[in-house]
């Protein structure tokens, strides 16, 4: 994953962060953000019913692991095509979830922009490198997507699952993003 090029940057990350502590921080951030939690629960249900798996990705996880409020919410879905993802998003209750509209966007890398009444836009995409007809294990697709991200600190994923009326998740850090945050390093 790393090509050996490292650039040190100053960050306000406390030393000694672990994947377990970052996992707890994400769970706590979601517990405090009721509209996002409700949206993620509905998304996890809809995507699971369609045969896929949903993941929080990128900057939101990086911010929360650093102890900052999660800003940009990016979601990645594995195991579904772009069209199937659109159908799953449109099946979610707009009024109950504060969804204003779902708009396909992106010429080179298609995403759905979900306009919400409570956060602005949330970007939802299918796993990178997966064609129109995804085959195979959604987790393997998600890890392939993570390997295509720009930096290790942006390759962390939070695998979403639903247990009854609760959202649950597990932080996946296949390329050492939490370690790099703690070490104040940016690696490709």
């Amino acid at each position: 994953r790393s090509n050996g090029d490292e650039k040190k940057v100053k960050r306000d990350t406390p030393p000694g962060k672990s994947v377990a502590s970052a996992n707890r921080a994400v769970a706590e951030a979601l517990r405090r953000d009721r509209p996002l939690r409700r949206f993620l629960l509905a998304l996890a249900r809809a995507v699971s019913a369609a045969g896929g798996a949903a993941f929080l990705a990128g900057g939101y996880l990086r911010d929360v692991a650093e102890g900052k409020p999660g800003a940009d919410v990016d979601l990645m879905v594995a195991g579904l095509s772009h069209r199937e993802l659109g159908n799953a998003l449109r099946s979610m209750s707009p009024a109950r979830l504060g969804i204003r509209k779902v708009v396909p966007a992106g010429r080179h890398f298609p995403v759905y922009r979900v306009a919400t009444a409570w956060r602005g836009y949330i970007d939802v995409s299918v796993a990178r490198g997966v064609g129109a007809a995804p085959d195979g294990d959604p987790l393997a697709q998600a890890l392939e997507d993570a390997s295509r991200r720009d930096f290790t600190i942006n390759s962390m994923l939070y695998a979403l699952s639903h247990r009854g009326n609760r959202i649950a998740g597990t932080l996946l850090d296949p390329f050492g993003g939490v370690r790099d945050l703690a070490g104040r390093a940016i690696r490709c």
Side-chain angles (χ1 to χ4, degrees):
R1 173 89 176 113
S2 175
N3 62 8
D5 294 337
E6 292 187 19
K7 182 167 52 169
K8 294 283 187 179
V9 295
K10 185 172 180 169
R11 294 233 188 263
D12 295 328
T13 308
K17 276 283 191 185
S18 68
V19 172
S21 66
N23 192 60
R24 285 189 300 274
V26 173
E28 178 60 22
L30 294 178
R31 187 191 67 74
R32 288 189 312 261
D33 191 340
R34 185 172 187 220
L36 178 58
R37 188 177 68 241
R38 290 177 70 178
F39 178 85
L40 294 177
L41 176 60
L43 178 72
R45 284 180 174 158
V47 167
S48 176
F55 301 82
L56 269 167
Y60 180 87
L61 297 175
R62 181 194 63 235
D63 292 346
V64 170
E66 285 185 301
K68 299 175 182 175
D72 294 332
V73 176
D74 294 316
L75 297 158
M76 184 268 299
V77 170
L80 300 182
S81 68
H82 186 69
R83 176 176 285 167
E84 292 168 325
L85 172 57
N87 292 339
L89 288 168
R90 286 186 286 277
S91 76
M92 295 166 50
S93 173
R96 188 173 85 69
L97 299 171
I99 297 172
R100 292 185 174 161
K101 61 184 171 180
V102 176
V103 179
R107 179 180 294 188
H108 300 291
F109 183 66
V111 301
Y112 286 97
R113 300 208 76 201
V114 180
T116 67
W118 43 270
R119 185 176 281 270
Y121 286 95
I122 294 175
D123 290 334
V124 187
S125 66
V126 295
R128 297 176 194 185
V130 177
D135 294 325
D137 178 26
L139 180 58
Q141 292 174 15
L143 295 174
E144 173 65 23
D145 176 276
S147 75
R148 295 170 179 264
R149 294 188 179 259
D150 54 359
F151 302 116
T152 59
I153 60 174
N154 291 331
S155 67
M156 296 180 285
L157 302 171
Y158 191 76
L160 298 167
S161 60
H162 59 91
R163 295 182 184 136
N165 288 329
R166 294 182 177 235
I167 190 74
T170 303
L171 185 70
L172 306 174
D173 186 19
F175 302 106
V178 172
R179 180 189 65 232
D180 289 343
L181 280 172
R184 299 179 176 152
I186 299 226
R187 290 186 308 126
C188 296

